[in-house]
Amino acid sequence: MKFASKSEEIKFYVLEFLADGQEHSREEIKEYVMKRASHGDFTEGTFAGSLYDLTQRKKIESVRRGVYRINDIRDQDAHHKDYDTQKGTLHDKCVAILNNTIKELRQTANEIDILDVSQEDLRLITQIKEVISSLQRHIQSFEK
């Protein structure tokens, strides 16, 4: 993927990592970003500024010192745009397919009316979360 700046790339991977809705330490986030980012040489200031910007724009929140989580999982629909599965290398195509699948699963889960959710829906939502986590791990394995 092409990014306009190091900061844009950092923010993309921060949001991708936090998309599981769980709380994560700053160290976990940074480790994930460093593994994924094409610019592993970003400064501490660039990383800190990216976290600060995401916090200020209410995309993520600091739940306590050094621990963050995504504010609203539905915000990630905008983050996970459609990736072109026809362009790039085989690697790029595979990552694009997995990212598109994650996006579609999120959209499907977001259609459920929380006030009218059944036990079966809850079970399926749990499975969807597990599948998304698995797909994210597969995306990471493509990067190794």
Side-chain angles (χ1 to χ4, degrees):
M1 272 183 265
K2 299 283 185 190
F3 297 97
S5 67
K6 290 180 184 181
S7 178
E8 179 183 308
E9 185 174 18
I10 291 168
K11 291 175 197 175
F12 177 88
Y13 289 121
V14 168
L15 290 172
E16 181 177 84
F17 184 65
L18 294 177
D20 66 359
Q22 302 299 309
E23 295 179 2
H24 292 281
S25 72
R26 185 181 195 285
E27 292 76 28
E28 289 176 296
I29 298 166
K30 187 173 182 181
E31 181 180 325
Y32 179 84
V33 172
M34 288 179 73
K35 285 181 183 175
R36 302 287 313 229
S38 61
H39 297 94
D41 61 339
F42 57 83
T43 66
E44 180 61 32
T46 304
F47 181 74
S50 297
L51 283 180
Y52 178 78
D53 183 60
L54 289 171
T55 305
Q56 291 301 110
R57 291 188 303 127
K58 307 285 190 223
K59 294 291 184 182
I60 65 174
E61 64 179 326
S62 176
V63 292
R64 60 186 172 281
R65 186 173 175 87
V67 178
Y68 298 87
R69 78 171 161 227
I70 200 157
N71 249 347
D72 188 347
I73 199 77
R74 288 176 296 238
D75 285 344
Q76 293 314 293
D77 289 338
H79 171 64
H80 288 284
K81 60 185 183 283
D82 288 324
Y83 296 96
D84 191 343
T85 60
Q86 303 305 312
K87 293 184 181 176
T89 64
L90 176 60
H91 168 271
D92 293 340
K93 290 176 184 179
C94 290
V95 170
I97 288 167
L98 294 174
N99 276 319
N100 286 336
T101 303
I102 289 169
K103 177 188 172 201
E104 289 179 31
L105 286 169
R106 280 198 177 99
Q107 287 173 336
T108 299
N110 286 337
E111 291 172 3
I112 295 172
D113 180 0
I114 193 72
L115 297 176
D116 198 27
V117 68
S118 67
Q119 288 299 319
E120 176 65 11
D121 288 342
L122 287 173
R123 186 184 67 75
L124 289 172
I125 289 169
T126 301
Q127 285 184 311
I128 289 170
K129 286 176 66 174
E130 290 169 2
V131 168
I132 288 172
S133 292
S134 176
L135 290 174
Q136 289 171 331
R137 284 191 301 277
H138 285 293
I139 291 170
Q140 287 175 354
S141 74
F142 277 103
E143 300 299 321
K144 293 181 180 175

